[in-house]
């Protein structure tokens, strides 16, 4: 298609990208972590609310604390990965609106303060930003292993105490071992997943 | 960075991509719509649950029905865009698991049937897929205009009657007019949005 990115970029982002379960020894350095954030941060969110928070867990001490709160199946993956990001949604995100949207902050904060709207906005847009994280990491040549199986309340207490950040999902980052993905599962067809009207 | 996609692809996906408010006359044809789906569908979801559903609204009749349920600010944008996608979360997604994960479907369906888990899984992973839609569209050279300001219950009744699909957000797709984005807003710094431990 005209103006599409290259075939190799489409492969790297979507077509041949896979969820990895085992990792090479190559570490993810500080500069790489920051580059992932500096890319994902530009993805769009409602009223530029940017509610996601990222706890980049790389130390062995941090990994142990996180692995202890994960499902049995995910524990060894967390311990083996070079880095595991905890993606959280900050329910206090309206406090950052003056920086993010300037003089429109007051009006937006009033909208987001309606019952349930803070929570749904944080979850919707925090998840969008979690997906931007996955795609940004892949765009930079990293592999991902996103996971939902962990004790959310426990992780919130352990990693986000004293804040209103709620863990959403976690994602291993590193350089995957080529043979470690499971066989690829099918997807829904265009018609099964929707309709053009 | 080694193995990163090209600078121009990074620009197209994140660094120079913008939310568009006005559109050129160029239409979005059937083949393009399908290519967007065929790309986004490969993005990872929890247990390959793929809970997002996509109503691609292109007809003027469909546009009128949708615009009538949108906020005043979003109404003209919907009417002007070549196509508006309604991204929904299907609470009946466990029914598709036999196709998506084969023999693991029964175990996963039992897990997803726990109180609140169907809803949170649909919202988290449906939103991830919504972000894959945005990035896939950009990767193919389209511009996006995602929006949250509409009557969700009204849209569910109008477009998803007789199903358990709940609208999440909507997204204009087309070829944006270069000068139509607002000035770009700042983002949170790495430290404001997280921490490396």
């Amino acid at each position: 298609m005209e103006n599409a990115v290259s075939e190799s970029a489409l492969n790297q982002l979507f077509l041949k990208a896979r969820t990895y379960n085992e990792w090479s020894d190559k570490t993810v350095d500080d500069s790489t972590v920051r580059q992932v954030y500096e890319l994902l941060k530009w993805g769009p969110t409602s009223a530029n609310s940017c509610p996601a928070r990222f706890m980049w867990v790389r130390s062995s001490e941090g990994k142990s604390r996180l692995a202890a709160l994960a499902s049995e199946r995910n524990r060894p993956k967390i311990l083996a990965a070079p880095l595991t990001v905890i993606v959280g949604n900050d329910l206090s995100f309206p406090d950052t609106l003056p920086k993010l949207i300037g003089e429109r902050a007051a009006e937006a904060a009033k909208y987001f303060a309606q019952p349930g709207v803070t929570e749904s906005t944080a979850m919707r847009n925090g998840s969008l930003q979690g997906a931007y994280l996955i795609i940004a990491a892949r765009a930079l040549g990293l592999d991902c292993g996103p996971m939902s199986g962990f004790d959310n309340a426990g992780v919130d207490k352990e990693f986000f105490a004293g804040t209103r950040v709620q863990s959403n999902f976690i994602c291993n980052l590193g350089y995957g071992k080529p043979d470690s993905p499971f066989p690829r599962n099918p997807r829904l067809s265009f018609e099964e997943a929707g309709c053009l009207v």
Side-chain angles (χ1 to χ4, degrees), chain A:
Chain A
M1 242 172 78
E2 204 189 350
N3 299 323
V5 301
S6 69
E7 187 67 24
S8 86
L10 294 177
N11 286 338
Q12 184 166 329
L13 298 169
F14 288 106
L15 299 173
K16 296 193 175 170
R18 299 298 315 281
T19 289
Y20 283 80
N21 299 306
E22 295 176 36
W23 306 91
S24 81
D25 291 339
K26 191 172 171 187
T27 56
V28 179
D29 61 22
D30 286 35
S31 144
T32 303
V33 172
R34 282 174 182 271
Q35 280 181 73
V36 173
Y37 179 72
E38 293 302 320
L39 203 54
L40 83 86
K41 75 176 185 181
W42 292 117
T45 55
S46 181
N48 197 35
S49 51
C50 303
R53 301 293 176 267
F54 303 91
M55 186 68 73
W56 311 83
V57 183
R58 195 176 52 181
S59 67
S60 50
E61 183 262 341
K63 285 301 204 63
S64 301
R65 285 161 59 208
L66 181 57
L69 295 160
S71 71
E72 228 168 295
R73 201 178 292 181
N74 289 335
R75 205 166 295 156
K77 298 185 197 173
I78 292 169
L79 294 173
L83 190 149
T84 309
V85 197
I86 308 169
V87 181
N89 305 323
D90 191 352
L91 295 180
S92 293
F93 76 85
D95 296 348
T96 62
L97 290 171
K99 165 168 181 166
L100 294 169
I101 53 171
E103 57 188 25
R104 293 189 300 125
E107 187 197 347
K110 202 172 146 189
Y111 173 78
F112 290 135
Q114 294 171 97
V117 177
T118 303
E119 290 75 9
S120 64
T121 301
M123 185 61 183
R124 175 180 302 115
N125 291 282
S127 298
L128 293 181
Q129 289 185 280
Y132 303 147
L133 162 77
I134 292 170
I135 305 292
R138 288 175 171 179
L140 293 172
L142 289 158
D143 295 308
C144 297
M147 296 170 289
S148 287
F150 63 94
D151 169 3
N152 288 69
V155 165
D156 297 353
K157 203 172 153 188
E158 185 69 27
F159 288 91
F160 298 120
T163 74
R164 293 180 72 209
V165 179
Q166 299 183 331
S167 55
N168 185 358
F169 70 97
I170 58 180
C171 185
N172 287 330
L173 290 182
Y175 302 90
K177 282 195 183 168
D179 293 335
S180 72
F182 302 125
R184 199 167 208 181
N185 281 308
R187 298 297 193 266
L188 299 178
S189 70
F190 181 86
E191 285 76 13
E192 287 169 325
C195 184
L196 175 60
V197 294

